[in-house]
């Protein structure tokens, strides 16, 4: 049999995977290896697979993903710091036929926006919240967040988080699972192919819930912040598995079908 | 003989050389180049012909710069 060349393989009919057109061609503003990029992409892949890109409105946060609207090729708004769930509430109530989601970091969702998060979850707004937890304020220079692990170093806890002085980390995902308005609460990750596939399924389920007007779906993605953690991307993923996952275990926390 | 043959195309000017795709590949197809792209990153490149088109690398690439092809071989 004749030798197969790269040209024989690289044909449209053999295409297995390419970046979705629901992400613009702008280079992402994220550091090399940052999970924000992967998270953006799978949210857009889910919208494309459900064919709801023209019916979806996303709410960008303040944080490294403040520019999400530059990369997600759909209708978007950008909220004041922490207010994405409040803005999403308004957008969804005024446009009940649209799919509405927020995309928020841990500083945004679990610090300055704690009240908005808890009340939107408790009211059971029919929205999807995507929560990127990297345990740090990435954008502003790696300061301690409510989610920073005990003993974890950050620019404002240079000797490690001392819980006696600095308080305990806040597990927002476990907390909102207690509230009657949440229908689906899960914690996932995007550092390996298997985890990306699982997270994508979770995001799909969240948007399917919204289609059925079931209430609020909350998808946490435990992610890396190489710059804030001061590691290279591959080390940061390993550190995340060893340190973040024991404290923030992956898996479904609440599934009400 | 392998039943499928794969190949990937890396957009090297958009690659940030993060290396996250390397441990995701079952056949050690990818390594970082000694050369840098226009942004100064040591970009990812293929170093053998063992690609099976599983798309693992593309799925974990945060910047979505990998396109994957796979062809069945009779
Ligand atoms: C009202 C207000 N307070 C503070 C800030 C400064 N600020 C910008 S981003 C940020 C934290 C972002 O952290 P996070 O939400 O975890 O996002 P990441 O960058 O880690 O993805 C803070 C405190 C601001 N922009 N607005
Ligand atoms: S600072 Fe952290 S969260 Fe922000 S882009 Fe860089 S790695 Fe990602
Ligand atoms: S498609 Fe699979 S085998 Fe080919 S380079 Fe990517 S991870 Fe490796
Ligand atoms: S994961 Fe993507 S950006 Fe990172 S080295 Fe591989 S191809 Fe380049
Ligand atoms: Mg953060």
């Amino acid at each position: 049999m004749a030798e197969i060349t790269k040209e024989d393989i690289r044909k449209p009919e053999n295409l297995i995977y390419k970046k979705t057109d629901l992400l613009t061609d702008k280079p992402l503003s994220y550091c090399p290896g940052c999970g924000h990029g992967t998270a953006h992409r799978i949210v857009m892949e889910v919208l494309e697979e459900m064919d709801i890109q023209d019916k979806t409105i996303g709410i960008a946060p303040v944080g490294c993903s403040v520019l999400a609207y530059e990369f997600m090729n759909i209708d978007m708004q950008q909220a004041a710091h922490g207010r994405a769930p409040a803005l999403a509430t308004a957008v969804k109530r005024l446009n009940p036929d649209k799919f509405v989601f927020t995309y928020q970091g841990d500083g945004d969702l679990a610090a300055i926006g704690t009240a908005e998060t808890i009340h939107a979850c408790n009211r059971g707004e029919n929205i999807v919240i995507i929560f990127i937890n990297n345990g740090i304020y990435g954008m502003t220079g790696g300061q301690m967040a409510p989610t920073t692990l005990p003993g974890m170093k950050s620019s404002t806890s240079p000797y490690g988080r001392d819980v006696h002085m600095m308080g305990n980390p806040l597990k927002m995902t476990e907390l909102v699972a207690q509230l009657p308005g949440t229908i689906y609460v899960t914690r996932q990750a995007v550092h390996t192919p298997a985890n990306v596939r699982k997270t994508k399924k979770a995001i799909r389920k969240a948007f399917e819930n919204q289609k059925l007007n079931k209430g609020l779906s909350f998808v946490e993605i435990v992610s890396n912040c190489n710059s804030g953690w001061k590691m290279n991307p591959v080390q940061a993923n390993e550190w995340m598995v060893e340190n973040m996952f024991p404290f923030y275990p992956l898996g479904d926390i609440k599934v009400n079908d | 003989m392998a039943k499928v043959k794969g190949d990937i195309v890396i957009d090297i000017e958009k690659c940030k050389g993060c290396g996250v795709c390397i441990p995701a590949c079952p056949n050690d197809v990818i390594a970082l180049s000694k050369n840098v792209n226009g942004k100064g990153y040591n970009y990812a490149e293929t170093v053998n012909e063992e690609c099976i088109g599983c798309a693992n690398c593309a799925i974990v690439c945060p910047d979505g710069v990998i396109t994957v092809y796979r062809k069945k071989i009779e």
Side-chain angles (χ1 to χ4, degrees), chain A residues 36 62-65 81 105-109 112 134 136-140:
Chain A
H36 271 305
V62 169
C64 282
S65 49
H81 204 6
D106 49 312
D108 191 84
L109 179 144
I112 194 167
N134 53 20
I136 209 157
Y137 293 175
M139 183 194 203
T140 44

Side-chain angles (χ1 to χ4, degrees), chain B residues 10 14-21 32 44 57 60-63 65-66:
Chain B
I10 302 167
K14 279 196 172 168
C15 169
K16 293 179 182 165
C18 68
V20 168
C21 52
L32 294 184
C57 54
V60 294
C61 171
D63 290 84
V65 305
I66 303 178

Side-chain angles (χ1 to χ4, degrees), chain A residues 67-127:
Chain A
L67 297 177
Y69 56 81
E70 293 278 350
F71 311 125
M72 297 180 176
N73 206 358
I74 56 167
D75 287 337
M76 293 199 69
Q77 294 253 350
Q78 196 271 315
H81 204 6
R83 275 48 174 174
L87 183 52
T89 299
V91 171
K92 180 70 184 182
R93 286 185 177 205
L94 290 168
N95 304 276
D97 53 329
K98 301 279 187 190
F99 290 83
V100 178
F101 72 94
T102 73
Y103 182 101
Q104 304 174 256
D106 49 312
D108 191 84
L109 179 144
I112 194 167
T114 310
E116 284 75 8
T117 305
I118 287 179
H119 286 295
C121 289
N122 197 44
R123 290 192 306 268
E125 297 298 336
N126 193 28
I127 59 173

Side-chain angles (χ1 to χ4, degrees), chain B residues 10-74:
Chain B
I10 302 167
D11 184 343
I12 59 171
E13 280 310 318
K14 279 196 172 168
C15 169
K16 293 179 182 165
C18 68
V20 168
C21 52
I22 295 171
C25 177
N27 288 349
D28 300 322
V29 176
I30 310 173
L32 294 184
S33 175
K34 290 194 175 63
N35 300 320
V36 295
N37 63 16
K39 290 237 169 72
Y41 293 123
N42 295 92
Y43 53 85
E45 61 184 8
T46 58
V47 292
N48 65 37
E49 306 295 316
E50 306 300 315
C51 177
I52 51 169
C54 68
N56 276 0
C57 54
I59 285 170
V60 294
C61 171
D63 290 84
V65 305
I66 303 178
T67 304
V68 185
Y69 297 90
R70 184 172 62 204
K71 189 178 167 60
K72 278 210 183 89
I73 299 165
E74 314 73 80

